Amino acid sequence: DAGITQSPRHKVTETGTPVTLRCHQTENHRYMYWYRQDPGHGLRLIHYSYGVKDTDKGEVSDGYSVSRSKTEDFLLTLESATSSQTSVYFCAIRRGGEGETQYFGPGTRLLVL
Amino acid sequence: QKEVEQNSGPLSVPEGAIASLNCTYSDRGSQSFFWYRQYSGKSPELIMFIYSNGDKEDGRFTAQLNKASQYVSLLIRDSQPSDSATYLCAVKSGGSNYKLTFGKGTLLTVNP
């Protein structure tokens, strides 16, 4: 358990509506990431953060924005949801030490109708 | 563009056999290599990491790295039905700002 929670865990929304997904961590890690996972595409990085108010784009950032006003929370916003954004969204943190790598939250299943 | 390739599978092995999962990567500057296991409907979980050429063993799992061939593999000995999952290979390149590039995963089924 990487001390990561995601909310909501499931969401159904309509095309054109804004949607915000929340990632919350309890271990004060500096780096946080948002991925989407789709069949045939694997895990793709949307945005990541390397500190409060410090964020950068990943490979599939169009249509998404992020914010990090506190160390523990990293928000992903779909500004105007489209059906192509139907996916499973995973948040991850980078944990240092041996095996320094990313650890994932439980995921959010988003369906855009 | 940095790429990580895996056989999509599915790979099917009988219980007790050795399962061999393979991964190749395009960036010669890659430094760290990870294997994640993902059960259906769950999130990826780290099972192995390897940084140096050669083999690294952890219980029934062995990771193998050959940087000259840009190849990393995961062997699962005495495969169990509980090993049935998708296995993701991930690679961290030097100077990557702690970003990982993931393969698309290999689905492994262990048949009782």
Side-chain angles (χ1 to χ4, degrees):
Chain A
D1 183 1
I4 306 170
T5 57
Q6 293 184 233
S7 59
R9 294 293 313 278
H10 302 271
K11 186 171 182 65
V12 180
T13 191
E14 293 187 349
T15 296
T17 60
V19 175
T20 296
L21 308 182
R22 178 182 185 238
C23 177
H24 178 79
Q25 59 140 331
T26 59
E27 299 180 350
N28 204 35
H29 295 289
R30 180 182 173 195
Y31 281 80
M32 300 182 74
Y33 307 80
W34 276 109
Y35 290 89
R36 60 179 290 174
Q37 187 174 40
D38 305 287
H41 290 280
L43 279 164
R44 293 181 291 175
L45 182 65
I46 305 171
H47 282 279
Y48 69 101
S49 170
Y50 46 96
V52 172
K53 300 191 188 306
D54 292 323
T55 64
D56 204 352
K57 297 178 179 180
E59 63 181 301
V60 290
S61 59
D62 287 348
Y64 301 95
S65 62
V66 290
S67 65
R68 192 167 178 201
S69 58
K70 299 185 292 185
T71 298
E72 58 266 35
D73 288 327
F74 191 30
L75 304 181
L76 176 71
T77 296
L78 288 65
E79 295 145 5
S80 178
T82 67
S83 58
S84 64
Q85 293 176 311
T86 291
S87 187
V88 180
Y89 292 86
F90 288 105
C91 174
I93 56 93
R94 174 184 163 266
R95 180 182 287 157
E98 190 179 43
E100 174 188 307
T101 188
Q102 295 176 24
Y103 295 82
F104 288 84
T108 294
R109 291 186 175 274
L110 176 67
L111 175 60
V112 183
L113 299 175
Chain B
Q1 183 172 347
K2 301 169 186 174
E3 294 182 348
V4 177
E5 300 286 342
Q6 295 182 250
N7 292 335
S8 60
L11 175 65
S12 182
V13 300
E15 184 174 354
I18 296 175
S20 178
L21 304 161
N22 304 317
C23 174
T24 59
Y25 58 95
S26 63
D27 183 5
R28 283 197 172 274
S30 299
Q31 297 181 338
S32 310
F33 307 86
F34 307 89
W35 284 100
Y36 287 81
R37 178 177 60 201
Q38 186 175 23
Y39 291 115
S40 180
K42 301 295 185 182
S43 59
E45 59 177 326
L46 180 70
I47 55 171
M48 289 286 290
F49 60 90
I50 187 166
Y51 303 146
S52 303
N53 278 328
D55 294 358
K56 179 182 180 182
E57 187 175 316
D58 183 2
R60 296 186 296 111
F61 298 96
T62 298
Q64 299 176 316
L65 175 61
N66 184 326
K67 289 186 178 180
S69 299
Q70 296 176 240
Y71 176 91
V72 59
S73 65
L74 179 70
L75 301 178
I76 306 175
R77 292 183 301 281
D78 188 25
S79 295
Q80 301 297 309
S82 59
D83 294 325
S84 298
T86 296
Y87 290 81
L88 305 174
C89 174
V91 175
K92 176 180 172 296
S93 298
S96 69
N97 289 335
Y98 303 103
K99 290 189 287 186
L100 296 178
T101 302
F102 286 85
K104 295 179 182 179
T106 298
L107 176 61
L108 171 67
T109 300
V110 181
N111 301 303

